[in-house]
Amino acid sequence: MVPYIKIMPDGPYMLFGAKKITEKIILTDENGISIKYGDGQSFEIKSDPVALCRCGHSRNAPFCDGSHLDADWDPVETASFEPIMKQPSAEAIKGPTQTLLDNQNYCAFARFCDRGGRIWNLVMQGGKAADKLSAEEANLCPAGRLMMFTNQGECLEELSEPAVHTIEDGGLKISGPLWIRGGIRVESASGKSYEVRQKQTLCRCGLSGNKPFCNGAHASIRWKAKTEQK
């Protein structure tokens, strides 16, 4: 069974069919540039479904502890149901051999787009080395904000098995979004499903302007998840 997520109208994410949640840590170089992911702790799932915090106030993150009932937060979803690369905010940057599709409304502020030079510059530069680096950077983007194609239309996105992660930002020393991979469906509080994608990031701080998806708001407030687990 492929896991899926159901959003409760005024409450948490309900995660069905998952056996565990693992932590991924953004690792940076001496200049603060994100270079790769490291592995962190694992969170045991003791029930199916399991409720995951989306208000940002749980003291037992990533799990919901009921804090949303008293917290000052806005649970209303504002994201479009249209495929993200067909939305008005999406743009195509075409280089000599590859085309980058970019929708900045879905930026999770992971900063891998600077790893080997800014991805937008690399695409326009072209050439074997630049093409390789730009494709790598797009694949490291956890949110799926960035997608790389050849100019013949071949998608260069790497496929993954279904997995659920929390992101911790080792460079900024803050917590990030919920990272879901491998075609996990997200069902809105209204019952309508969002586009099923290989990778998406869901807001955990409660302040995204593109709920349920992360738009980097956690970075601006330097949000840090609270957890009772060791």
Side-chain angles (χ1 to χ4, degrees):
M1 174 184 176
V2 176
Y4 74 95
I5 290 173
K6 167 68 179 175
I7 300 172
M8 304 308 292
D10 298 307
Y13 302 114
M14 300 302 296
L15 172 62
F16 293 79
K19 296 181 179 180
K20 64 178 179 178
I21 297 172
T22 56
E23 187 178 79
K24 291 294 183 180
I25 303 170
I26 296 174
L27 302 178
T28 61
D29 64 14
E30 62 277 8
N31 298 313
I33 301 296
S34 300
I35 54 173
K36 63 181 180 179
Y37 294 103
D39 294 321
Q41 63 185 314
S42 292
F43 299 95
E44 180 183 358
I45 292 180
K46 300 178 181 179
S47 63
D48 190 10
V50 63
L52 304 180
C53 176
R54 75 178 180 108
C55 73
H57 294 273
S58 175
R59 294 171 295 277
N60 191 31
F63 304 107
C64 171
D65 69 352
S67 292
H68 61 277
L69 297 173
D70 299 314
D72 181 17
W73 73 296
D74 183 359
V76 176
E77 299 166 58
T78 56
S80 171
F81 288 100
E82 291 297 311
I84 75 165
M85 293 308 175
K86 293 184 178 179
Q87 295 174 17
S89 52
E91 62 175 327
I93 297 93
K94 186 174 183 178
T97 54
Q98 295 186 163
T99 298
L100 174 67
L101 298 185
D102 178 9
N103 189 334
Q104 63 180 349
N105 287 348
Y106 292 79
C107 180
F109 206 68
R111 308 179 309 288
F112 288 104
C113 46
D114 295 324
R115 179 171 171 258
R118 301 200 74 216
I119 190 171
W120 303 271
N121 297 335
L122 291 170
V123 171
M124 295 304 297
Q125 176 184 331
K128 187 175 181 179
D131 285 351
K132 181 177 182 292
L133 283 170
S134 59
E136 288 176 355
E137 291 183 9
N139 277 307
L140 285 166
C141 171
R145 166 195 169 169
L146 303 169
M147 290 187 66
M148 191 69 67
F149 292 80
T150 68
N151 285 351
Q152 289 71 45
E154 177 189 359
C155 181
L156 300 179
E157 184 175 48
E158 295 176 353
L159 303 181
S160 64
E161 293 296 318
V164 180
H165 308 290
T166 56
I167 290 181
E168 291 293 319
D169 192 323
L172 298 180
K173 295 180 171 44
I174 60 175
S175 301
L178 188 70
W179 184 16
I180 57 175
R181 305 166 64 196
I184 293 177
R185 181 173 66 88
V186 178
E187 182 181 317
S188 72
S190 69
K192 185 174 181 179
S193 292
Y194 292 97
E195 177 189 13
V196 176
R197 299 188 281 131
Q198 268 296 307
K199 51 188 178 180
Q200 307 186 69
T201 47
L202 301 180
C203 174
R204 287 204 299 153
C205 72
L207 293 177
S208 173
N210 192 35
K211 289 187 181 74
F213 302 105
C214 173
N215 74 342
H218 61 277
S220 64
I221 64 168
R222 302 194 68 82
W223 178 71
K224 188 68 177 175
K226 299 182 179 68
T227 180
E228 296 173 354
Q229 299 218 2
K230 303 297 183 184

